[in-house]
Amino acid sequence: MDSAAELLKYYEVYETIGSGGFAKVKLGRHILTGEKVAIKIMEKKELGEDLPRVKVEIEAMKSLSHQHVCRLYHVIETNTKIYMILEYCPGGELFDYIIAKDRLSEEETRVFFRQIVSALAYVHSQGYAHRDLKPENLLIDEDHNLKLIDFGLCAKPKGGLGYELMTCCGSPAYAAPELIQGKAYIGSEADVWSMGVLLFALLCGYLPFDDDNCMVLYRKITRGSYNNPHWLSPGSILLLNQMMQVDPKHRVTIRQLLDHPWTMSGYGTPVEWYSTQPLGYIDEDCITEMSVSQKISRQSTLQLVNETLLFDDDDDDDAEDRCYDDDLPWVPLTPQQERATCPSAEKRRDQTKHAPTPEREPIALHHRHQERRDRCRNGPMKTKRTLPWPIRMLIYLLCRPRSPVANRKATRPNKRVLTTPTHNNTNKVGNKVDTPQGGGSTCKDPSRKRPRERVEGKEEEEMEILAFSPERRSRSLDLAGASRGDSSQKRRGGKVFGSLERGLDKVITLLTPSKRRGLRDRPRRIKAQYNVTLTSQTNPDQVLNQILSILPEKHVDFAQKGYTLKCRTQSDFGKVTMAFELEVCLLHRPEVVCVRRQRLKGDSWVYKHLVEDILSTSSI
Ligand code: ADP
């Protein structure tokens, strides 16, 4: 199907919330559950030779399931576009959070850093190196927890993560010296360097290695020379030094970061890196609830869920291979380490009623291995799914756990059925993964972010027009009867499940045609967020006019939509170098005018300086 129709069967589509080198990302809502999602939209034509990278990202995200890795729910591919439906992270980029706060305290940095270490330890344990770690690729979810995104540059060396890679990629300021020098490198070691740069950015609010001139920047990185500002504690200085060691063999490892004194300070426990929501985890309570609501036996419910959720459309082909593919690269923890790192492993084992974990097998791996073994043993490896995709997602959405708030740390029950991201293809994207040593090309520009001017296509227009109106939305949600409320409401799976069984089509045909939202003639009222700058003024029009008068001075083009200014800068050759929004809003309390800002495209640090400049010159 070559239009947005396939997407709009399942999702409402709203405004653009971000864009990167490959994609435009829009806010969406799953029609039947009301769950907000992020829809990453890629034009195949524009992807060109980057298409395999998208395939890499999809493959990686399909196989990763972790509390600090953004979840991929669904992939829709048409002749011209690829849509990735992702877990929505309303808190925006960690980058924006840092710049809004100037820099973070050591305590707050530690909360985030532990989550980053947890995500990376898990990603590495699955055989992947991320290779593009930076604060723009860490998003904040509704519980203020971090989620890692953008796996477009990740690599899974065939022989394991210990094998060397050649491709130079990622953002220059975060790239390890061995990458910049074009040497063969170990992906996990390069990730630790980038985490060091990231840690510095969190603690300091600026980059350790920075220069407009690329050659100067590279020289600074290869020398590993940076200055420690006076506010850094001796512990932070030491850790940064250990992470940003030019010689990768002298660099601290992820394993050492898990229980590093700095990471443990104030916690007393190592970072919990295992997945609390592994693929293949079946929540017993959820099965009970579903079987009661559906009036079918637990056994049948379990079978239904297994058949429905275990296998992707396109995974059937290689399912057998995966059965025997147990050579994951993560070195097993000792039993003591496992107990220290996974204190609740025993408990979860009981809950999931899995066979006992082998003595030395880390729990996350155990779940994966167990899942594979179960698949091999139970046979329905090649069973075609029996329920349409939306039901699969629905079960996932209704039963998945909410991620725990950082400081409440993993106290909530794990409400999750089994999940496997789906790849609902009409045709398939390329299949090349970066392999060690062989054939990797060195990017001319190590940053793969190639800003592109996107022509709003006919299809996109169609999508906007087809996107559901609020009335339409509320009717569909009423029908679904779930989701937007609290978690107990969310878990009332039966009602939604029932309505689904009565037919998705019925739901869709009940919906009324859309209406485009009119332009705002007054500013929105919003709550204070970190991407909001307060002013000392009470008249929104005055603030708007002040900003409007400054933009031409700063060589910023803009289009005005009510109180929103869609801004962009261009290079001498007309290439869009930066796109962002400034919106004049009213704050609830205190009753003042504020400016909401959002970066859509372009270098984050350049954006930071430009917006700061605009807002301070506007004297608002
Ligand atoms: P690309 O692969 O083209 O670089 P990204 O995956 O980095 O695209 O996404 C671009 C931007 O879109 C991100 O920096 C972020 O601001 C926004 N974004 C991406 N995924 C999500 C999400 N799951 N929730 C909210 N915003 C997102």
Side-chain angles (χ1 to χ4, degrees), residues 523-524 526 532-544 547 563 583-588 590-596 620:
R524 281 195 308 142
I526 60 169
V532 161
T533 305
L534 300 193
T535 74
S536 52
Q537 303 190 23
T538 48
N539 182 344
D541 295 292
Q542 200 177 331
V543 173
L544 186 66
I547 298 175
Y563 285 83
E583 181 186 0
V584 175
C585 303
L586 289 169
L587 202 66
H588 269 303
E591 291 259 327
V592 286
V593 178
C594 58
V595 181
R596 181 190 63 85
I620 45 176

Side-chain angles (χ1 to χ4, degrees), residues 17-27 37-42 54 57 70-71 84-93 96 132 134-140 147 149-152 448-449 454 598-600:
I17 50 174
S19 78
F22 296 145
K24 176 174 279 191
V25 180
K26 285 183 179 266
L27 174 65
V37 291
I39 305 176
K40 186 165 170 173
I41 306 167
M42 286 155 288
V54 177
E57 176 164 38
C70 185
R71 196 81 168 91
M84 288 171 69
I85 317 301
L86 298 156
E87 177 178 4
Y88 173 55
C89 303
E93 297 173 14
D96 290 314
D132 198 15
K134 52 183 178 179
E136 295 89 318
N137 285 340
L138 283 153
L139 302 183
I140 300 173
K147 304 273 177 173
I149 59 161
D150 205 350
F151 285 78
R448 62 127 172 96
K449 301 281 181 192
R454 282 181 194 282
Q598 181 163 21
R599 184 180 65 91
L600 296 174

